[in-house]
Amino acid sequence: MKESSKHNENILEVRDLKTYFNVGEGKVVKAVEGVNFSLKRSKILGIIGESGSGKSVTSRSIMRIVDQPGYIAGGEIIFEGQNLLEIPEREMEKIRGQKISLIFQNPTTSFNPFMTMEQHLKEVYLTHKKGATKSEARKRALEVLEMVGIHNGAEILKKYPCEFSAGFRQRVFIAMSMILEPDLLIADEPTTSLGITLQAEIMEALCEAQRKTGISIIIITHDFGVVSQFSDSLFVMYAGKCVESSPKKDLLLKPKHPYTIGLIRSVPLLEERKSKRLKSIPGFPPNMAEEQIGCSFSPRCEFAREKCFKDTPELKKVGEEHFCACHYPVDYNVEDDTKLEG
Ligand SMILES: Nc1ncnc2c1ncn2[C@@H]1O[C@H](COP(=O)(O)OP(=O)(O)OP(=O)(O)O)[C@@H](O)[C@H]1O
Ligand SMILES: [Mg+2]
């Protein structure tokens, strides 16, 4: 564990982040529209939301690698006390990979089929660590493989990417992302293309790495089951905004936002659920190229009242470290699946 590890210290604070895409004809897609969240050092934060809610754009914004025609329109990204949106690109390059590592959705494309795993891992190390020797690079490669639970590292290093399953490659990729000892790892849907067993395996690899190194992790997914098991705190995104955030237990047992409740009710994994309780949220997320009036979730919300269609709700404190952007937060009891308006 690194010396700088202190309880309650935020390694990352994202404040009012806005990332827009100019898509032509004067249209602007507000993919991320005023997102706020923080991550404590050595903790795991799960970001959940449906496809298109702005999860990847948020993670790419943190790395300052938003695709054209996108741009960061406002906000602050405070990483280890420094606003990443204010530093020169030259400094940002050093932060990428060395301080913050991003794991993408599909790691297969991240490996060169003609290079062994040893070449891959060593290359990352030697490119960034000036003056390091090949034997140091190999030692570090074996260390990071061990961190993600790969104990026969020497054997693995000799092989080529095609000799492994997708799940195993992802595990090696996680190891590779940690070779430069980053303080923060962002895993954007690291398990999307994998089956349930492999998903659990990858998540365990991440947790193992977290326990061994004290690294802080953001896990992004649209699968509530995945994050609810492994995260310390959760952050729910809908249509480019944060609708609810809190420590995991509060969010799972006392969700306040109708969207979060809808997500929880649609997950079979959380506990033993009777199938009759499983219910997907009707309707679709809004078209992000259109102006949002009122709460973006109101057209799909069974509790929506007049105000919800007119005024945008702000993120408000509804409990200790529990925030919710809803005009009429709901009191919902997960245990007996009853809902009472609050
Ligand atoms: N290159 C782009 N050009 C225009 N709009 C974009 C571009 N990339 C993303 N967007 C917009 O940003 C929105 C959010 O995209 P993002 O990739 O962050 O969603 P996501 O939550 O990661 O979804 P998924 O679960 O499918 O990965 C999209 O709905 C889209 O409208
Ligand atoms: Mg995505």
Side-chain angles (χ1 to χ4, degrees):
M1 186 127 354
K2 292 191 179 172
E3 267 177 44
S4 53
S5 300
K6 287 182 207 150
H7 284 305
N8 292 326
E9 183 201 344
N10 285 336
I11 184 167
L12 180 74
E13 276 176 41
V14 173
R15 298 179 191 150
D16 207 21
L17 177 68
K18 294 179 180 171
T19 306
Y20 299 166
F21 290 86
N22 279 334
V23 288
E25 294 171 9
K27 282 201 168 173
V28 178
V29 170
K30 295 181 174 174
V32 173
E33 177 60 337
V35 155
N36 289 283
F37 66 88
S38 58
L39 168 63
K40 289 196 177 105
R41 198 176 278 279
S42 300
K43 296 287 177 193
I44 302 182
L45 167 75
I47 302 184
I48 324 140
E50 277 167 299
S51 189
S53 56
K55 305 182 298 296
S56 295
V57 173
T58 300
S59 59
R60 297 182 77 84
S61 301
I62 295 170
M63 295 293 265
R64 274 183 37 188
I65 50 165
V66 177
D67 294 323
Q68 291 288 340
Y71 62 100
I72 297 175
E76 288 177 315
I77 297 171
I78 314 290
F79 173 71
E80 297 187 327
Q82 186 179 33
N83 185 358
L84 297 185
L85 300 184
E86 282 178 348
I87 63 173
E89 176 57 25
R90 214 179 48 251
E91 274 180 52
M92 192 62 212
E93 270 166 24
K94 287 189 204 146
I95 287 182
R96 283 184 212 114
Q98 297 195 51
K99 291 266 187 188
I100 309 178
S101 234
L102 179 61
I103 300 174
F104 296 100
Q105 227 147 322
N106 187 356
T108 314
T109 51
S110 323
F111 287 112
N112 178 338
F114 304 108
M115 277 165 69
T116 62
M117 288 307 188
E118 177 155 0
Q119 287 171 310
H120 278 99
L121 280 111
K122 274 184 173 175
E123 188 178 282
V124 177
Y125 192 80
L126 295 171
T127 310
H128 289 92
K129 296 262 176 191
K130 299 289 171 234
T133 64
K134 283 185 182 168
S135 71
E136 279 163 3
R138 184 181 157 85
K139 186 166 164 261
R140 178 70 186 148
L142 291 169
E143 252 170 44
V144 288
L145 288 173
E146 189 70 41
M147 271 176 208
V148 296
I150 298 174
H151 307 299
N152 57 338
E155 211 176 295
I156 298 307
L157 287 181
K158 285 186 225 149
K159 301 197 173 186
Y160 289 87
C162 65
E163 297 181 71
F164 303 112
S165 67
F168 198 88
R169 271 199 298 268
Q170 184 64 299
R171 194 178 264 256
V172 176
F173 195 76
I174 293 170
M176 195 158 90
S177 324
M178 294 199 309
I179 203 158
L180 301 170
E181 296 180 77
D183 297 325
L184 171 64
L185 189 69
I186 305 177
D188 188 356
E189 312 241 18
T191 61
T192 302
S193 53
L194 310 171
I196 282 282
T197 326
L198 284 176
Q199 277 189 17
E201 219 180 277
I202 296 300
M203 295 304 290
E204 268 154 28
L206 276 172
C207 288
E208 189 157 339
Q210 197 281 325
R211 279 193 300 273
K212 284 186 182 155
T213 64
I215 194 170
S216 315
I217 300 180
I218 296 179
I219 294 169
I220 296 176
T221 177
H222 52 257
D223 187 335
F224 219 120
V226 168
V227 278
S228 60
Q229 231 178 319
F230 297 97
S231 308
D232 297 299
S233 57
L234 294 169
F235 157 53
V236 183
M237 249 186 124
Y238 187 78
K241 294 195 178 87
C242 170
V243 295
E244 187 162 7
S245 71
S246 85
K248 176 174 80 177
K249 208 170 142 210
D250 275 2
L251 200 117
L252 293 181
L253 296 178
K254 290 183 271 177
K256 293 280 181 190
H257 197 285
Y259 179 61
T260 313
I261 294 166
L263 286 179
I264 290 177
R265 297 188 86 207
S266 64
V267 176
L269 288 175
L270 290 180
E271 51 182 85
E272 300 132 31
R273 293 259 151 126
K274 294 179 192 100
S275 56
K276 70 176 169 65
R277 290 171 64 191
L278 291 178
K279 195 177 144 197
S280 64
I281 307 168
F284 299 96
N287 178 349
M288 302 293 281
E290 282 166 14
E291 191 67 33
Q292 312 287 313
I293 299 166
C295 169
S296 315
F297 188 59
S298 56
R300 300 172 75 183
C301 181
E302 57 183 301
F303 304 106
R305 302 185 210 168
E306 210 182 326
K307 186 180 168 74
C308 307
F309 297 97
K310 286 195 215 142
D311 303 334
T312 308
E314 299 289 325
L315 202 60
K316 281 182 300 229
K317 201 169 164 129
V318 289
E320 181 90 10
E321 294 185 82
H322 191 164
F323 297 87
C324 175
C326 176
H327 292 305
Y328 307 104
V330 178
D331 278 330
Y332 173 79
N333 188 336
V334 171
E335 298 299 319
D336 55 17
D337 199 22
T338 55
K339 287 161 285 155
L340 300 165
E341 280 179 58

